[in-house]
């Protein structure tokens, strides 16, 4: 059986302001992804400078960090097979106006930086990002009755 993997999701301040947290969490739950960590947290500038380091030379870097500090965010760690790809497919392209219909960004947003959600783009990044936002004792390993559907060999 394949190994389940983990990814880091941030539900951004625009989604918190627009009361879309339940809608987004519900989409991941209905898909069959297991929530193994979840909390509300304020992001600070140092954390964001690190998290968005690949964008530090972009003209919008300062505004992006300000945007991400407007309200607390919801940080989640999700577990499942092919988790990076599965979550990025559900999230959709960075520009919500170009994202595929049915994705979170396409269905719920119109602009950057306010595109609702962050998701790790590789397993390497997810390992770093999970450590950035969660302590070991904030992550959980547990059985669910539905595991047989999502992880089993068939029922
Ligand atoms: P991703 O979130 O799809 O992985 P990245 O290129 O890593 O996309 O960019 C991180 C975040 O920076 C985006 O989700 C978006 O919020 C913001 N962003 C990206 N490009 C722009 C831009 O051209 N203007 C303003 N914000 C942007
Ligand atoms: Mg990215």
């Amino acid at each position: 059986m394949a190994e389940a993997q983990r990814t880091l999701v941030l539900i951004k301040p625009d989604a918190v302001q627009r009361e879309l947290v339940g809608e987004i969490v519900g989409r991941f739950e209905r898909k069959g992804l297991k929530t193994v960590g979840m909390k509300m947290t304020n992001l600070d500038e140092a954390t964001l400078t690190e998290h968005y380091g690949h964008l530090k030379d972009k003209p919008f870097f300062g505004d992006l960090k300000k945007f991400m500090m407007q309200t607390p965010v919801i940080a989640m760690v999700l577990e499942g097979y092919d988790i990076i790809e599965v979550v990025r497919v559900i999230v959709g392209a960075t520009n919500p106006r170009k994202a595929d219909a049915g994705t979170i960004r396409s269905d719920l947003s119109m602009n950057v930086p306010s595109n609702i959600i962050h998701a790790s783009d590789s397993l390497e990044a997810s390992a770093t990002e999970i450590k950035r936002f969660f302590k070991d004792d904030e992550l959980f390993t547990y059985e669910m009755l539905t595991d047989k559907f999502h992880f089993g060999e068939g029922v």
Side-chain angles (χ1 to χ4, degrees):
M1 199 159 77
E3 275 291 300
Q5 295 153 334
R6 291 179 171 188
T7 193
L8 186 276
V9 160
L10 299 175
I11 303 179
K12 295 181 179 181
D14 55 325
V16 172
Q17 287 282 359
R18 294 175 55 209
E19 302 179 286
L20 292 172
V21 174
E23 161 80 28
I24 294 162
V25 172
R27 287 181 181 221
F28 292 129
E29 287 185 325
R30 292 199 299 274
K31 172 67 173 171
L33 305 180
K34 190 185 283 190
T35 302
V36 296
M38 184 164 165
K39 63 180 177 184
M40 179 173 259
T41 183
N42 275 312
L43 302 181
D44 59 33
E45 175 137 23
T47 304
L48 286 164
T49 298
E50 198 177 273
H51 185 66
Y52 284 132
H54 59 296
L55 300 172
K56 68 177 183 324
D57 297 326
K58 300 283 186 192
F60 57 82
F61 190 50
D63 286 344
L64 171 61
K65 290 193 285 185
K66 268 192 218 143
F67 161 70
M68 291 295 289
M69 292 189 285
Q70 279 178 61
T71 68
V73 300
I74 306 294
M76 297 182 77
V77 178
L78 297 171
E79 186 175 277
Y81 290 155
D82 296 326
I83 193 73
I84 301 294
E85 195 187 353
V86 165
V87 170
R88 294 281 293 193
V89 166
I90 293 169
V91 164
T94 307
N95 179 344
R97 302 199 294 278
K98 303 240 164 81
D100 288 339
T103 60
I104 289 171
R105 284 170 169 169
S106 170
D107 287 357
L108 304 175
S109 60
M110 275 298 283
N111 215 348
V112 284
S114 46
N115 58 0
I116 302 279
I117 189 161
H118 164 84
S120 309
D121 63 7
S122 67
L123 278 179
E124 200 187 12
S126 71
T128 308
E129 292 179 358
I130 289 168
K131 280 201 182 70
R132 181 172 297 138
F133 295 99
F134 286 87
K135 301 191 186 92
D136 285 349
D137 66 1
E138 293 175 324
L139 296 171
F140 300 88
T141 299
Y142 59 101
E143 303 283 315
M144 289 176 73
L145 296 176
T146 50
D147 282 350
K148 64 182 179 180
F149 300 110
H150 304 134
F151 299 97
E153 300 287 324
V155 285

